[in-house]
Amino acid sequence: MTISLSATELENLDRRHVIHPHQRPDRQDRRVMVRGQGSTVWDAAGRDFLDALGGGIWVAQVGHGRTELAEAAKEQSLSLAHFTTFFEYTNDKAARLAGRLAALAPDHINRMYFTNSGSEGVDTAIKLARLYHHHRGESSRTWILARHYGYHGSSYGSGTATGIPDMQAAVGPNLPNVEKLMPPYAYRAEFYGGQDVTDFLIAELTATIERIGAENIAAMIGEPVLGGGGVIAPPADYWPRVREVLSKHGILLIADEVITAFGRTGAWFDSAQRGMQPDLIVTAKGLTSGYQPLGAVLMSDAIGETVPAIGGSFFHGHTYAGHPVACAVALANLDIIESEGLLDRSLKIGAGFRSGLAAAADLPTVGDVRVEGATVGIELVTDKATRESLPPDLALAVADELYYNHGILTRNYGATLVLSPPLVFTDEETARTSAALTEVLARVDIEGCRIAPC
């Protein structure tokens, strides 16, 4: 029997027992969510909020409260709740989902390994890249190229590849042989010394390969669009030119599509439309819209056939890999994305934000507004001319103001506010979010380091 607890009791229980990712010790409040429907969620006190964050963390593509997904989980649980995919075992839903993903992926991507999260997926991809070269007689290829501002997870390998220093702080030696490159961050022209962004980065990549030695590099990993870095899209020629350099030197390319895949930017896989031609694609989040923890590492036939065949087996594994309930939910989720046209809807949401945030772009504290499908980054500055970043605490105050006084969930990554709403976000919800953002940003008091009262 479930005992009913008040909002205060739930908050106190959480404070006593739960450690939260990124929870600051000076912020002791708890936001206990208990219900969701569409793009709205309710907390334990009964307050409703417009979820402009997709479950708070870039998921919920099909929105909250989808009966179809709950029914898929129930039906599969009653049929077969779990059985391993180790050795020669599998289950029907894992096999069906693998086939479905292969049909949606680029033509050369036909093999996959199921995970429970993006972090597991990145660790798996790094291992696969190294094993692939090892089994082909190039055991020296162990280096991984990553990028500053990139976010690839928080486990040992993925956390090292992440280009945010706090992820590697004070945990001892990190994964060796990981090199960070500059990101394609066109708004920060000062990073490139007046050069064309892509020209600068290709020169840096080439010099890095020469310094480390191509024969020592296994792969480069990158998000098609930098998500946690602030929704930063590269110039159109960036990924095709990166791919050309990597191919010339036999270096694999890992596309981290944990955020971008399954419609977030208006395509099944964003890497395809960016010209990445990746050898491996890491997915999670939108694969089930957050209804089940599930990810998948998709790989080329060359990798999928080389690693287990020459190595004897892929000596790797997670207990819940290919979990039948999670795979059943993923299949139902992909059906909804397809049948409801949510890839196109993502682009329409983006168009709505471009229009709705046009006035905000002119405000003195707004340096750049970046929209990629149903994903938005609003970079805040103290001065438009110098592009000095707004203090992160003041950007956090903007998010707090939207939460407490507008009932809208947003998030700041440093000085950048991000939006990643469900792909069922309506025109009215897009307009409401844009208007609220514009209203709050107009009240940012830089000198007072506060949000001025209404």
Side-chain angles (χ1 to χ4, degrees):
M1 182 179 70
T2 301
I3 300 173
S4 179
L5 297 176
S6 69
T8 299
E9 288 172 324
L10 288 167
E11 291 166 8
N12 288 337
L13 195 62
D14 188 275
R15 286 191 192 94
R16 176 68 181 86
H17 297 291
V18 181
I19 294 177
H20 291 256
H22 304 288
Q23 172 72 27
R24 287 170 32 162
D26 61 328
R27 290 173 65 84
Q28 285 298 304
D29 64 321
R30 292 294 187 271
R31 301 170 180 182
V32 183
M33 300 302 170
V34 299
R35 184 166 65 91
Q37 188 64 47
S39 298
T40 302
V41 293
W42 286 262
D43 70 8
R47 295 171 295 188
D48 63 279
F49 297 88
L50 184 58
D51 180 12
L53 281 175
I57 195 161
W58 316 83
V59 299
Q61 253 83 330
V62 301
H64 301 280
R66 298 300 298 242
T67 303
E68 307 96 310
L69 302 191
E71 289 295 331
K74 175 184 176 181
E75 181 179 336
Q76 184 59 43
S77 295
L78 292 172
S79 176
L80 178 67
H82 179 254
F83 204 85
T84 185
T85 57
F86 279 46
F87 312 108
E88 61 270 27
Y89 293 103
T90 189
N91 62 77
D92 59 328
K93 298 306 187 297
R96 288 183 57 199
L97 180 58
R100 183 76 176 276
L101 291 174
L104 295 173
D107 289 343
H108 66 293
I109 303 288
N110 288 294
R111 298 296 189 94
M112 59 210 61
Y113 172 84
F114 290 115
T115 67
N116 305 301
S117 69
S119 292
E120 283 184 5
V122 169
D123 278 1
T124 299
I126 290 172
K127 184 180 283 191
L128 282 165
R130 288 175 167 179
L131 283 169
Y132 172 74
H133 290 297
H134 173 79
H135 293 329
R136 296 174 72 251
E138 296 184 275
S139 299
S140 65
R141 286 187 181 264
T142 60
W143 280 81
I144 302 296
L145 306 180
R147 299 180 302 172
H148 298 291
Y149 293 87
Y151 190 94
H152 300 295
S154 58
S155 56
Y156 183 58
S158 67
T160 304
T162 289
I164 301 172
D166 284 352
M167 189 62 74
Q168 295 102 36
V171 295
N174 289 280
L175 184 72
N177 296 359
V178 175
E179 180 80 4
K180 303 283 173 47
L181 302 167
M182 290 297 293
Y185 196 170
Y187 177 68
R188 293 292 171 184
E190 65 272 18
F191 288 173
Y192 313 105
Q195 294 186 52
D196 173 82
V197 174
T198 304
D199 286 347
F200 177 98
L201 295 173
I202 294 300
E204 179 197 35
L205 174 61
T206 301
T208 301
I209 292 172
E210 291 176 355
R211 173 168 52 83
I212 296 174
E215 71 281 4
N216 297 317
I217 302 173
M220 178 176 175
I221 185 170
E223 302 156 274
V225 174
L226 289 157
V231 190
I232 300 168
D237 64 341
Y238 171 76
W239 279 120
R241 291 179 64 184
V242 167
R243 173 74 269 186
E244 182 180 7
V245 172
L246 298 181
S247 296
K248 177 182 177 182
H249 295 287
I251 300 168
L252 301 177
L253 178 56
I254 304 168
D256 182 340
E257 294 227 44
V258 172
I259 288 176
T260 53
F262 310 116
R264 174 56 53 196
T265 62
W268 286 112
F269 295 98
D270 192 71
S271 56
Q273 61 186 6
R274 303 277 173 191
M276 289 182 75
Q277 300 178 34
D279 301 286
L280 298 113
I281 302 175
V282 182
T283 70
K285 296 188 185 293
L287 179 54
T288 66
S289 288
Y291 281 69
Q292 289 282 312
L294 181 68
V297 179
L298 288 68
M299 66 198 82
S300 68
D301 288 324
I303 296 172
E305 292 167 5
T306 297
V307 171
I310 299 178
S313 72
F314 182 33
F315 204 80
H316 182 72
H318 302 94
T319 297
Y320 300 113
H323 194 286
V325 176
C327 290
V329 170
L331 285 163
N333 178 65
L334 296 177
D335 285 344
I336 293 173
I337 293 174
E338 185 172 43
S339 65
E340 296 187 3
L342 297 186
L343 302 187
D344 288 339
R345 181 64 203 162
S346 176
L347 298 176
K348 291 176 181 176
I349 293 168
F353 276 125
R354 285 191 186 90
S355 174
L357 293 171
D362 294 329
L363 294 172
T365 54
V366 176
D368 198 22
V369 176
R370 300 183 284 266
V371 181
E372 297 295 326
T375 315
V376 181
I378 305 170
E379 186 162 350
L380 306 180
V381 295
T382 61
D383 186 290
K384 279 183 177 286
T386 65
R387 300 183 178 182
E388 180 182 351
S389 296
L390 199 73
D393 280 357
L394 192 47
L396 177 59
V398 173
D400 284 344
E401 183 75 5
L402 289 162
Y403 176 87
Y404 288 112
N405 293 321
H406 285 277
I408 297 176
L409 306 181
T410 59
R411 179 178 175 183
N412 75 296
Y413 283 78
T416 301
L417 289 172
V418 299
L419 307 174
S420 56
L423 307 187
V424 295
F425 225 50
T426 66
D427 292 346
E428 185 277 331
E429 289 167 339
T430 303
R432 174 186 162 191
T433 303
S434 298
L437 276 161
T438 303
E439 190 276 328
V440 173
L441 290 171
R443 292 190 284 116
V444 174
D445 176 3
I446 295 174
E447 291 186 3
C449 199
R450 62 172 189 149
I451 308 299
C454 299

mmCIF file of all heavy atoms in Angstrom, residues 11-37:
data_model
loop_
_atom_site.group_PDB
_atom_site.id
_atom_site.type_symbol
_atom_site.label_atom_id
_atom_site.label_comp_id
_atom_site.label_asym_id
_atom_site.label_seq_id
_atom_site.Cartn_x
_atom_site.Cartn_y
_atom_site.Cartn_z
ATOM 1 N N GLU A 11 9.719 16.505 -0.040
ATOM 2 C CA GLU A 11 10.928 17.325 -0.167
ATOM 3 C C GLU A 11 11.942 16.963 0.921
ATOM 4 O O GLU A 11 13.140 16.828 0.643
ATOM 5 C CB GLU A 11 10.557 18.802 -0.091
ATOM 6 C CG GLU A 11 9.770 19.297 -1.288
ATOM 7 C CD GLU A 11 9.124 20.651 -1.047
ATOM 8 O OE1 GLU A 11 9.431 21.266 0.011
ATOM 9 O OE2 GLU A 11 8.312 21.083 -1.883
ATOM 10 N N ASN A 12 11.473 16.809 2.149
ATOM 11 C CA ASN A 12 12.376 16.466 3.255
ATOM 12 C C ASN A 12 12.964 15.072 3.075
ATOM 13 O O ASN A 12 14.151 14.836 3.372
ATOM 14 C CB ASN A 12 11.628 16.558 4.584
ATOM 15 C CG ASN A 12 11.325 17.999 4.984
ATOM 16 O OD1 ASN A 12 12.001 18.919 4.536
ATOM 17 N ND2 ASN A 12 10.316 18.185 5.819
ATOM 18 N N LEU A 13 12.151 14.130 2.589
ATOM 19 C CA LEU A 13 12.631 12.780 2.344
ATOM 20 C C LEU A 13 13.735 12.789 1.296
ATOM 21 O O LEU A 13 14.768 12.115 1.427
ATOM 22 C CB LEU A 13 11.461 11.905 1.885
ATOM 23 C CG LEU A 13 11.637 10.388 1.913
ATOM 24 C CD1 LEU A 13 11.874 9.887 3.334
ATOM 25 C CD2 LEU A 13 10.417 9.712 1.306
ATOM 26 N N ASP A 14 13.527 13.575 0.259
ATOM 27 C CA ASP A 14 14.510 13.680 -0.814
ATOM 28 C C ASP A 14 15.806 14.310 -0.299
ATOM 29 O O ASP A 14 16.906 13.814 -0.579
ATOM 30 C CB ASP A 14 13.929 14.509 -1.959
ATOM 31 C CG ASP A 14 14.821 14.503 -3.177
ATOM 32 O OD1 ASP A 14 15.764 15.330 -3.225
ATOM 33 O OD2 ASP A 14 14.594 13.681 -4.066
ATOM 34 N N ARG A 15 15.681 15.407 0.471
ATOM 35 C CA ARG A 15 16.878 16.067 1.008
ATOM 36 C C ARG A 15 17.696 15.105 1.874
ATOM 37 O O ARG A 15 18.926 15.127 1.853
ATOM 38 C CB ARG A 15 16.479 17.280 1.855
ATOM 39 C CG ARG A 15 16.007 18.480 1.072
ATOM 40 C CD ARG A 15 15.899 19.693 1.983
ATOM 41 N NE ARG A 15 15.183 20.777 1.321
ATOM 42 C CZ ARG A 15 13.870 20.992 1.445
ATOM 43 N NH1 ARG A 15 13.143 20.205 2.230
ATOM 44 N NH2 ARG A 15 13.293 21.983 0.802
ATOM 45 N N ARG A 16 17.019 14.281 2.605
ATOM 46 C CA ARG A 16 17.698 13.386 3.540
ATOM 47 C C ARG A 16 18.451 12.268 2.828
ATOM 48 O O ARG A 16 19.508 11.825 3.283
ATOM 49 C CB ARG A 16 16.654 12.785 4.516
ATOM 50 C CG ARG A 16 17.218 11.756 5.489
ATOM 51 C CD ARG A 16 18.164 12.401 6.483
ATOM 52 N NE ARG A 16 18.731 11.407 7.402
ATOM 53 C CZ ARG A 16 19.821 10.682 7.147
ATOM 54 N NH1 ARG A 16 20.481 10.840 5.997
ATOM 55 N NH2 ARG A 16 20.274 9.819 8.041
ATOM 56 N N HIS A 17 17.932 11.818 1.696
ATOM 57 C CA HIS A 17 18.444 10.567 1.148
ATOM 58 C C HIS A 17 19.013 10.630 -0.273
ATOM 59 O O HIS A 17 19.762 9.729 -0.653
ATOM 60 C CB HIS A 17 17.336 9.505 1.162
ATOM 61 C CG HIS A 17 16.857 9.170 2.536
ATOM 62 N ND1 HIS A 17 17.627 8.490 3.455
ATOM 63 C CD2 HIS A 17 15.678 9.438 3.155
ATOM 64 C CE1 HIS A 17 16.958 8.335 4.582
ATOM 65 N NE2 HIS A 17 15.762 8.895 4.434
ATOM 66 N N VAL A 18 18.655 11.620 -1.062
ATOM 67 C CA VAL A 18 18.997 11.586 -2.485
ATOM 68 C C VAL A 18 20.105 12.584 -2.812
ATOM 69 O O VAL A 18 20.029 13.764 -2.433
ATOM 70 C CB VAL A 18 17.757 11.872 -3.370
ATOM 71 C CG1 VAL A 18 18.141 11.808 -4.854
ATOM 72 C CG2 VAL A 18 16.643 10.869 -3.065
ATOM 73 N N ILE A 19 21.119 12.106 -3.518
ATOM 74 C CA ILE A 19 22.163 12.986 -4.057
ATOM 75 C C ILE A 19 21.786 13.310 -5.503
ATOM 76 O O ILE A 19 21.561 12.407 -6.304
ATOM 77 C CB ILE A 19 23.540 12.304 -4.001
ATOM 78 C CG1 ILE A 19 23.962 12.100 -2.544
ATOM 79 C CG2 ILE A 19 24.579 13.135 -4.745
ATOM 80 C CD1 ILE A 19 25.275 11.363 -2.384
ATOM 81 N N HIS A 20 21.748 14.584 -5.842
ATOM 82 C CA HIS A 20 21.307 15.013 -7.162
ATOM 83 C C HIS A 20 22.489 15.436 -8.027
ATOM 84 O O HIS A 20 23.388 16.138 -7.541
ATOM 85 C CB HIS A 20 20.345 16.203 -7.044
ATOM 86 C CG HIS A 20 19.030 15.860 -6.454
ATOM 87 N ND1 HIS A 20 17.886 15.737 -7.206
ATOM 88 C CD2 HIS A 20 18.654 15.588 -5.177
ATOM 89 C CE1 HIS A 20 16.874 15.423 -6.430
ATOM 90 N NE2 HIS A 20 17.316 15.312 -5.187
ATOM 91 N N PRO A 21 22.505 15.060 -9.298
ATOM 92 C CA PRO A 21 23.526 15.593 -10.197
ATOM 93 C C PRO A 21 23.457 17.118 -10.257
ATOM 94 O O PRO A 21 22.368 17.690 -10.360
ATOM 95 C CB PRO A 21 23.143 14.979 -11.559
ATOM 96 C CG PRO A 21 22.324 13.779 -11.222
ATOM 97 C CD PRO A 21 21.588 14.129 -9.962
ATOM 98 N N HIS A 22 24.601 17.754 -10.137
ATOM 99 C CA HIS A 22 24.732 19.208 -10.291
ATOM 100 C C HIS A 22 23.985 20.011 -9.218
ATOM 101 O O HIS A 22 23.790 21.222 -9.379
ATOM 102 C CB HIS A 22 24.260 19.662 -11.682
ATOM 103 C CG HIS A 22 24.960 18.977 -12.814
ATOM 104 N ND1 HIS A 22 26.272 19.229 -13.148
ATOM 105 C CD2 HIS A 22 24.539 18.021 -13.678
ATOM 106 C CE1 HIS A 22 26.627 18.472 -14.168
ATOM 107 N NE2 HIS A 22 25.602 17.722 -14.506
ATOM 108 N N GLN A 23 23.562 19.380 -8.134
ATOM 109 C CA GLN A 23 22.867 20.104 -7.065
ATOM 110 C C GLN A 23 23.865 20.925 -6.259
ATOM 111 O O GLN A 23 24.816 20.389 -5.694
ATOM 112 C CB GLN A 23 22.144 19.123 -6.142
ATOM 113 C CG GLN A 23 21.544 19.750 -4.886
ATOM 114 C CD GLN A 23 20.321 20.600 -5.186
ATOM 115 O OE1 GLN A 23 19.634 20.349 -6.160
ATOM 116 N NE2 GLN A 23 20.054 21.577 -4.357
ATOM 117 N N ARG A 24 23.653 22.241 -6.217
ATOM 118 C CA ARG A 24 24.541 23.113 -5.453
ATOM 119 C C ARG A 24 24.138 23.109 -3.984
ATOM 120 O O ARG A 24 22.953 23.143 -3.657
ATOM 121 C CB ARG A 24 24.479 24.536 -6.011
ATOM 122 C CG ARG A 24 25.158 24.697 -7.326
ATOM 123 C CD ARG A 24 24.917 26.028 -8.014
ATOM 124 N NE ARG A 24 24.727 27.158 -7.132
ATOM 125 C CZ ARG A 24 24.847 28.432 -7.545
ATOM 126 N NH1 ARG A 24 25.162 28.685 -8.810
ATOM 127 N NH2 ARG A 24 24.633 29.417 -6.721
ATOM 128 N N PRO A 25 25.108 23.100 -3.070
ATOM 129 C CA PRO A 25 24.777 23.061 -1.640
ATOM 130 C C PRO A 25 24.034 24.296 -1.153
ATOM 131 O O PRO A 25 23.361 24.251 -0.122
ATOM 132 C CB PRO A 25 26.141 22.925 -0.957
ATOM 133 C CG PRO A 25 27.143 23.369 -1.966
ATOM 134 C CD PRO A 25 26.565 23.026 -3.297
ATOM 135 N N ASP A 26 24.156 25.417 -1.870
ATOM 136 C CA ASP A 26 23.455 26.635 -1.440
ATOM 137 C C ASP A 26 22.022 26.693 -1.966
ATOM 138 O O ASP A 26 21.305 27.662 -1.692
ATOM 139 C CB ASP A 26 24.219 27.877 -1.901
ATOM 140 C CG ASP A 26 24.346 27.973 -3.416
ATOM 141 O OD1 ASP A 26 24.416 26.900 -4.068
ATOM 142 O OD2 ASP A 26 24.373 29.096 -3.947
ATOM 143 N N ARG A 27 21.585 25.668 -2.702
ATOM 144 C CA ARG A 27 20.219 25.622 -3.219
ATOM 145 C C ARG A 27 19.545 24.361 -2.661
ATOM 146 O O ARG A 27 19.678 23.276 -3.226
ATOM 147 C CB ARG A 27 20.228 25.616 -4.750
ATOM 148 C CG ARG A 27 20.665 26.958 -5.341
ATOM 149 C CD ARG A 27 20.832 26.872 -6.839
ATOM 150 N NE ARG A 27 19.603 26.609 -7.557
ATOM 151 C CZ ARG A 27 18.716 27.525 -7.919
ATOM 152 N NH1 ARG A 27 18.901 28.803 -7.603
ATOM 153 N NH2 ARG A 27 17.637 27.182 -8.597
ATOM 154 N N GLN A 28 18.849 24.544 -1.563
ATOM 155 C CA GLN A 28 18.280 23.413 -0.838
ATOM 156 C C GLN A 28 16.808 23.148 -1.150
ATOM 157 O O GLN A 28 16.212 22.236 -0.589
ATOM 158 C CB GLN A 28 18.449 23.632 0.670
ATOM 159 C CG GLN A 28 19.864 23.396 1.156
ATOM 160 C CD GLN A 28 20.321 21.962 0.936
ATOM 161 O OE1 GLN A 28 19.673 21.018 1.391
ATOM 162 N NE2 GLN A 28 21.432 21.787 0.239
ATOM 163 N N ASP A 29 16.208 23.943 -2.032
ATOM 164 C CA ASP A 29 14.820 23.670 -2.379
ATOM 165 C C ASP A 29 14.742 22.409 -3.238
ATOM 166 O O ASP A 29 15.709 21.999 -3.865
ATOM 167 C CB ASP A 29 14.190 24.858 -3.113
ATOM 168 C CG ASP A 29 14.844 25.143 -4.463
ATOM 169 O OD1 ASP A 29 16.079 25.029 -4.552
ATOM 170 O OD2 ASP A 29 14.118 25.468 -5.423
ATOM 171 N N ARG A 30 13.598 21.769 -3.252
ATOM 172 C CA ARG A 30 13.358 20.593 -4.068
ATOM 173 C C ARG A 30 12.092 20.816 -4.890
ATOM 174 O O ARG A 30 11.105 21.358 -4.376
ATOM 175 C CB ARG A 30 13.193 19.332 -3.204
ATOM 176 C CG ARG A 30 14.469 18.897 -2.491
ATOM 177 C CD ARG A 30 15.532 18.444 -3.492
ATOM 178 N NE ARG A 30 16.686 17.869 -2.830
ATOM 179 C CZ ARG A 30 17.751 18.567 -2.420
ATOM 180 N NH1 ARG A 30 17.776 19.881 -2.598
ATOM 181 N NH2 ARG A 30 18.766 17.954 -1.838
ATOM 182 N N ARG A 31 12.144 20.400 -6.134
ATOM 183 C CA ARG A 31 11.006 20.549 -7.044
ATOM 184 C C ARG A 31 10.513 19.148 -7.388
ATOM 185 O O ARG A 31 11.036 18.503 -8.289
ATOM 186 C CB ARG A 31 11.424 21.343 -8.284
ATOM 187 C CG ARG A 31 11.955 22.741 -7.931
ATOM 188 C CD ARG A 31 12.599 23.460 -9.104
ATOM 189 N NE ARG A 31 13.093 24.780 -8.710
ATOM 190 C CZ ARG A 31 13.663 25.643 -9.526
ATOM 191 N NH1 ARG A 31 13.861 25.326 -10.812
ATOM 192 N NH2 ARG A 31 14.067 26.825 -9.092
ATOM 193 N N VAL A 32 9.543 18.687 -6.640
ATOM 194 C CA VAL A 32 9.084 17.306 -6.730
ATOM 195 C C VAL A 32 7.943 17.210 -7.738
ATOM 196 O O VAL A 32 6.814 17.628 -7.476
ATOM 197 C CB VAL A 32 8.614 16.786 -5.360
ATOM 198 C CG1 VAL A 32 8.212 15.314 -5.470
ATOM 199 C CG2 VAL A 32 9.704 16.980 -4.306
ATOM 200 N N MET A 33 8.236 16.654 -8.911
ATOM 201 C CA MET A 33 7.221 16.502 -9.946
ATOM 202 C C MET A 33 6.516 15.158 -9.790
ATOM 203 O O MET A 33 7.162 14.141 -9.523
ATOM 204 C CB MET A 33 7.852 16.619 -11.337
ATOM 205 C CG MET A 33 8.537 17.960 -11.581
ATOM 206 S SD MET A 33 7.424 19.368 -11.372
ATOM 207 C CE MET A 33 8.568 20.744 -11.430
ATOM 208 N N VAL A 34 5.199 15.162 -9.963
ATOM 209 C CA VAL A 34 4.427 13.945 -9.718
ATOM 210 C C VAL A 34 3.544 13.518 -10.882
ATOM 211 O O VAL A 34 3.063 12.378 -10.917
ATOM 212 C CB VAL A 34 3.531 14.104 -8.458
ATOM 213 C CG1 VAL A 34 4.388 14.358 -7.225
ATOM 214 C CG2 VAL A 34 2.513 15.230 -8.632
ATOM 215 N N ARG A 35 3.326 14.398 -11.850
ATOM 216 C CA ARG A 35 2.400 14.056 -12.936
ATOM 217 C C ARG A 35 2.728 14.888 -14.168
ATOM 218 O O ARG A 35 3.241 16.009 -14.051
ATOM 219 C CB ARG A 35 0.958 14.327 -12.496
ATOM 220 C CG ARG A 35 -0.107 13.922 -13.502
ATOM 221 C CD ARG A 35 -1.492 13.901 -12.830
ATOM 222 N NE ARG A 35 -1.930 15.214 -12.396
ATOM 223 C CZ ARG A 35 -2.666 16.051 -13.155
ATOM 224 N NH1 ARG A 35 -3.004 15.683 -14.382
ATOM 225 N NH2 ARG A 35 -3.042 17.221 -12.689
ATOM 226 N N GLY A 36 2.429 14.346 -15.341
ATOM 227 C CA GLY A 36 2.636 15.081 -16.579
ATOM 228 C C GLY A 36 1.609 14.716 -17.621
ATOM 229 O O GLY A 36 1.116 13.591 -17.660
ATOM 230 N N GLN A 37 1.289 15.674 -18.471
ATOM 231 C CA GLN A 37 0.382 15.441 -19.589
ATOM 232 C C GLN A 37 0.742 16.397 -20.711
ATOM 233 O O GLN A 37 0.779 17.605 -20.504
ATOM 234 C CB GLN A 37 -1.080 15.664 -19.180
ATOM 235 C CG GLN A 37 -2.111 15.261 -20.228
ATOM 236 C CD GLN A 37 -2.088 13.756 -20.505
ATOM 237 O OE1 GLN A 37 -2.075 12.957 -19.567
ATOM 238 N NE2 GLN A 37 -2.057 13.375 -21.765
#
